[in-house]
Amino acid sequence: MESQPHSALTRSAPTHSAEDSRRRELGAFLRSRRERLTPSATGIATGLRRRTPGLRREEVAMIAGVGTTWYTWLEQGREVRPSVEVLTALAEALRLDAAEKQHLFILAGRQQPERRAVAPEKVDGPLLHMLQSLVLQPAYVVGRRWDVLAWNPAAVAVFGDYGLLEGDARNIVHMVFTNPHHRRLLVDWEQLARIVLASFRAASARYVGDPDFERLIELMTRSSPEFRAWWPQRDVAHRLSGVKHVRHPSAGGMTFEHMSLSVGDGSDMKLIVYTPLAEQNSVAKLQTLLDALPAERRSA
């Protein structure tokens, strides 16, 4: 048998684009979720014999309200582009959890619609343990609306006791614009306040129409002339880190480098960590503030 030139073999080899690979992975993911789901879990009556593990394609299509042929093409990795509504229906039909649903939308190249959380935001044990382990780093966890949900003693020492604040008063935007103590604390208040506002607007875009966001924005518009003047400018920013200069009432000037870290559990919570810098002897000052904390304020 006569061998082919290497160049001919190269030309005849099939090539797959990244888009082809993504569609095939989407189909394989859907198939794996379908095959693990028992008919009884969806209320489908089964006969004596089922040669297919899990649900059949036509059963998934029926539950999701889509055509069987179209769904088959989707599993086969063909060039079909499901809408957000169809993906949501498929996620419900296949009983996907939050992580699986997010994975489905990513593979389909779609942005998952944000839904208003119905349950109160909760900081779980592992994150609380991490928070408390940051002894010489003020840190706190904020929720989707930037409400402070948990904090460590170092944050109390520098920024004040969040436990004394209730409701909207424990919100970062509310504190920056309307809390006199917090405002005096920030050396470059206007610059930081504008950055906070622009970052909050960018984050809140995913929750347009959310009653809790709208109520906070209305409250801030009434309470702060600066917020009232700057909010209509619609500036946006995505700032994850920076340097913050603090004027503490007893320790004096301090400098921190801060970083925002997303919590990867689908909750939209963030861990904000402040690391004291050598500038202005900030590390020693923080230690002094921590040592001076009353015992009851050393545990958040």
Side-chain angles (χ1 to χ4, degrees), residues 17-153:
S17 67
E19 185 68 16
D20 291 334
S21 298
R22 184 187 58 77
R23 285 198 299 267
R24 288 199 306 274
E25 182 60 28
L26 172 61
F29 178 68
L30 287 170
R31 184 167 59 254
S32 71
R33 300 304 91 177
R34 171 174 62 82
E35 291 177 349
R36 71 162 188 183
L37 192 61
T38 60
S40 59
T42 59
I44 295 176
T46 61
L48 296 177
R49 295 182 179 180
R50 286 184 71 91
R51 291 177 295 178
T52 305
L55 294 184
R56 298 187 178 103
R57 286 171 174 166
E58 58 267 27
E59 291 169 339
V60 174
M62 178 189 68
I63 297 171
V66 299
T68 300
T69 300
W70 184 89
Y71 177 76
T72 300
W73 289 349
L74 194 60
E75 275 201 9
Q76 290 174 344
R78 296 200 190 186
E79 196 170 348
V80 293
R81 185 163 173 76
S83 66
V84 169
E85 292 75 17
V86 167
L87 290 172
T88 301
L90 287 174
E92 293 175 357
L94 294 169
R95 305 294 196 268
L96 302 188
D97 62 23
E100 291 170 330
K101 184 176 180 181
Q102 182 182 29
H103 188 64
L104 173 67
F105 273 79
I106 291 172
L107 290 176
R110 293 289 191 183
Q111 179 68 40
Q112 184 175 347
E114 297 285 352
R115 290 188 176 181
R116 181 172 176 260
V118 295
E121 292 174 305
K122 180 183 177 182
V123 182
D124 291 329
L127 183 54
L128 285 174
H129 298 156
M130 176 187 289
L131 192 63
Q132 297 305 315
S133 71
L134 300 172
V135 179
L136 278 176
Q137 290 173 288
Y140 49 79
V141 177
V142 298
R144 62 191 183 90
R145 203 188 68 149
W146 293 19
D147 298 310
V148 179
L149 306 176
W151 54 93
N152 65 4

Side-chain angles (χ1 to χ4, degrees), residues 113-296:
E114 297 285 352
R115 290 188 176 181
R116 181 172 176 260
V118 295
E121 292 174 305
K122 180 183 177 182
V123 182
D124 291 329
L127 183 54
L128 285 174
H129 298 156
M130 176 187 289
L131 192 63
Q132 297 305 315
S133 71
L134 300 172
V135 179
L136 278 176
Q137 290 173 288
Y140 49 79
V141 177
V142 298
R144 62 191 183 90
R145 203 188 68 149
W146 293 19
D147 298 310
V148 179
L149 306 176
W151 54 93
N152 65 4
V156 173
V158 175
F159 300 114
D161 191 349
Y162 296 105
L164 301 178
L165 305 175
E166 296 182 356
D168 294 329
R170 203 186 287 176
N171 176 274
I172 293 296
V173 179
H174 192 282
M175 281 187 280
V176 168
F177 280 90
T178 68
N179 186 310
H181 167 73
H182 208 78
R183 183 162 178 159
R184 287 193 299 269
L185 207 61
L186 304 177
V187 174
D188 306 311
W189 180 84
E190 180 170 342
Q191 177 186 355
L192 288 171
R194 286 184 177 274
I195 292 172
V196 165
L197 191 61
S199 300
F200 176 73
R201 177 178 282 283
S204 66
R206 289 171 290 179
Y207 298 98
V208 171
D210 185 294
D212 283 343
F213 277 80
E214 291 186 346
R215 183 176 57 79
L216 176 64
I217 293 167
E218 182 181 352
L219 172 63
M220 297 307 305
T221 301
R222 295 196 311 267
S223 305
S224 168
E226 292 90 354
F227 186 98
R228 187 164 55 248
W230 299 343
W231 184 252
Q233 297 175 10
R234 287 178 166 77
D235 292 333
V236 293
H238 293 277
R239 188 170 181 180
L240 301 177
S241 62
V243 174
K244 181 173 289 187
H245 299 280
V246 169
R247 187 189 303 108
H248 195 274
S250 61
M254 302 174 71
T255 304
F256 295 89
E257 186 175 58
H258 63 86
M259 172 69 71
S260 173
L261 305 169
S262 295
V263 179
D265 61 355
S267 66
D268 211 13
M269 290 190 295
K270 292 179 176 58
L271 172 66
I272 316 297
V273 180
Y274 291 83
T275 301
L277 301 181
E279 184 179 339
Q280 296 184 297
N281 202 23
S282 301
V283 179
K285 288 180 178 178
L286 176 57
Q287 184 64 67
T288 300
L289 290 174
L290 278 169
D291 293 340
L293 276 182
E296 66 272 11

